[in-house]
Amino acid sequence: MKLSSLALTLAAVLAVAGCDNSAVISPEQQMGPDPTLPPAQNFLIPPMQVPKGVGWQQNQMPKVAEGLKIDKVADGLLHPRQLLTLPNGDVLVVEANGPGTEAVSTTKQLIAGLVKGQSGKGGKGGNRITLLRPTADGGWEKHIFLEGLDSPFGVQLIGNTLYVANTGNIMQYAYQPGETRISDPGKELADLPDTINHHWTKALLASPDGKKLYVGVGSNSNITENGLAVEYRRAAVLEVDTASGASRIFASGLRNPTGLQWEPHSGKLWAIVNERDEIGADLVPDYLTSVQDGGFYGWPYSYFGQHVDRRVQPARPDRVAKAIKPDYALSSHVAPLGLLFYTASALPAEYRGGAFVSEHGSWDRSPLNGYRVSYVAFEQGKPVGKLKAVVTGFVSDDEKELYGAPVGLAIDTSGALLIADDVGNTVWRVSAK
């Protein structure tokens, strides 16, 4: 549907007309196991602040913390979202965006979509995977590796089988090490929930033994405004058997789990989760948490443990009583989309053993929050201290222009950190200075 500039202007005016949505709590107060949580607010139309997507200008690039340097690996990509480093050093870049089939059920959902689209985060996805190969002179070759996908996101390699999580299924392809293009037509391993697709991304992680795949499936709404029936097998982490394709709900109540990783010390499954919107600039903190088999994490009935969301009716105090409090709050509306436990040794010692989190950035908070790659240290399998900003400079100082936005993370074979940037259509590489 094409809308005039007048309609877009009206949408923006309506979006900020409801009331002030300025944050009163600093992000630092909402980092850690016990974030400060103010009373919930209610808006007819949620106020928004979205920078205009302009991309990177010539020779412009993100900023990095002291002791690090950043280089461009590849640009000109079509909305790069996820990364996977293969055993031979090749790097797969998943290029995608949503399928465009989401049903708009409320006026504020329509307006929010229009306003958010100005940021560049709605750029056209490639529905493909590109392979990047390091060369002897320090450059990178680029090859179209796999095409014809349907809003892919997660990708994993088990042995010589490549698994790709499209928005509606998991496909498997025969992979030959060293090849620069997949010739196998592939076959479906398992279906995934794709009705409405309020959250279309499907994060993917293989078990260490390769017998299972874990899939992050987001909710079909903010807080069940589309009904509970369309939330079946959603707001959950699914466990899929790689031999049969059979699946089960591993954990539930996770509004939008966009990144899954194994924590190296404990061997436990961890996830980043995008929490709910429309109850204030300081609610609700997105989070990083271990994920228990059979665990319930509150959505939609409560947030950060037993804090009841009174918008959800009928109330379910029995479910709220079972809600597990997340391990670590990341602060509100940072929109985490990438998680990586750093297990290499090439970066300075302060970045070893903990987790990098890519923060795609807020749309309903003033001032903006996120738009960076952060790091949190771990001790004995648990996060400690505050998040440290590692890669910044994705947004202008006056918060009006957006150059890029970080999503997927990976480690290349040298131990450097790779970052997919879907607004700048670039892959960046961070290494020791």
Side-chain angles (χ1 to χ4, degrees), residues 184-371:
D184 179 24
K187 63 180 181 179
E188 183 177 283
L189 171 69
D191 73 306
L192 296 173
D194 65 346
T195 304
I196 300 178
N197 267 320
H198 182 83
H199 291 122
W200 62 271
T201 58
K202 305 298 192 296
L204 196 64
L205 178 68
S207 63
D209 62 8
K211 295 181 179 180
K212 306 290 183 184
L213 286 168
Y214 294 86
V215 190
V217 183
S219 66
N220 241 331
S221 61
N222 183 31
I223 40 91
T224 69
E225 61 269 16
N226 295 320
L228 279 172
V230 296
E231 302 297 350
Y232 177 60
R233 297 173 70 216
R234 301 199 70 130
V237 172
L238 306 181
E239 181 187 75
V240 180
D241 182 73
T242 55
S244 66
S247 66
R248 71 180 180 100
I249 296 175
F250 181 82
S252 61
L254 300 149
R255 179 177 174 270
N256 189 17
T258 52
L260 304 172
Q261 285 273 285
W262 300 108
E263 195 283 312
H265 178 82
S266 65
K268 292 181 178 179
L269 179 64
W270 280 69
I272 44 172
V273 177
N274 287 237
E275 254 292 358
R276 66 204 74 196
D277 297 309
E278 301 179 15
I279 52 177
D282 295 313
L283 288 177
V284 169
D286 301 322
Y287 61 84
L288 168 68
T289 192
S290 56
V291 181
Q292 302 177 24
D293 190 353
F296 173 69
Y297 291 82
W299 190 90
Y301 306 106
S302 66
Y303 54 87
F304 224 85
Q306 279 95 42
H307 294 84
V308 175
D309 191 330
R310 303 194 183 282
R311 297 174 294 176
V312 184
Q313 297 297 326
R316 288 291 304 271
D318 57 323
R319 298 292 284 155
V320 172
K322 296 179 180 179
I324 298 170
K325 179 184 174 184
D327 289 283
Y328 190 91
L330 300 169
S331 76
S332 294
H333 308 302
V334 297
L337 290 186
L339 172 64
L340 177 74
F341 284 101
Y342 187 73
T343 55
S345 57
L347 295 182
E350 62 189 290
Y351 300 113
R352 300 173 195 172
F356 287 101
V357 178
S358 63
E359 303 173 8
H360 203 229
S362 61
W363 62 271
D364 56 348
R365 185 186 189 277
S366 180
L368 299 177
N369 200 15
Y371 297 102

Side-chain angles (χ1 to χ4, degrees), residues 41 57 68 93 140 147 150 212 243 280 290 328 375 403 431:
Q41 297 175 274
Q57 307 307 306
L68 301 173
V93 184
W140 293 77
E147 296 181 280
D150 182 17
K212 306 290 183 184
S290 56
Y328 190 91
Y375 178 84
Y403 311 124
S431 57

Side-chain angles (χ1 to χ4, degrees), residues 41-123:
Q41 297 175 274
N42 188 35
F43 304 102
L44 176 63
I45 298 294
M48 304 176 200
Q49 180 183 343
V50 179
K52 180 181 179 181
V54 298
W56 299 99
Q57 307 307 306
Q58 189 173 11
N59 299 322
Q60 188 183 27
M61 60 179 57
K63 304 170 185 177
V64 293
E66 186 177 356
L68 301 173
K69 65 177 182 176
I70 188 165
D71 301 290
K72 183 187 296 183
V73 169
D75 57 12
L77 298 162
L78 294 175
H79 216 65
R81 301 284 283 184
Q82 288 296 311
L83 303 171
L84 178 69
T85 302
L86 300 178
N88 69 344
D90 291 342
V91 175
L92 301 185
V93 184
V94 180
E95 301 166 85
N97 211 333
T101 57
E102 179 185 344
V104 178
S105 56
T106 65
T107 302
K108 56 186 171 184
Q109 186 181 346
L110 170 64
I111 294 173
L114 292 173
V115 175
K116 285 188 284 185
Q118 299 176 70
S119 68
K121 294 180 180 180

Side-chain angles (χ1 to χ4, degrees), residues 108-171:
K108 56 186 171 184
Q109 186 181 346
L110 170 64
I111 294 173
L114 292 173
V115 175
K116 285 188 284 185
Q118 299 176 70
S119 68
K121 294 180 180 180
K124 181 176 175 58
N127 282 324
R128 70 186 187 187
I129 296 176
T130 290
L131 181 144
L132 303 177
R133 174 167 292 173
T135 60
D137 61 0
W140 293 77
E141 299 174 2
K142 186 192 297 184
H143 304 272
I144 304 302
F145 185 67
L146 181 60
E147 296 181 280
L149 301 172
D150 182 17
S151 291
F153 193 72
V155 60
Q156 291 282 274
L157 180 68
I158 301 176
N160 285 337
T161 302
L162 187 76
Y163 295 89
V164 179
N166 287 312
T167 193
N169 64 12
I170 299 175
M171 293 291 294

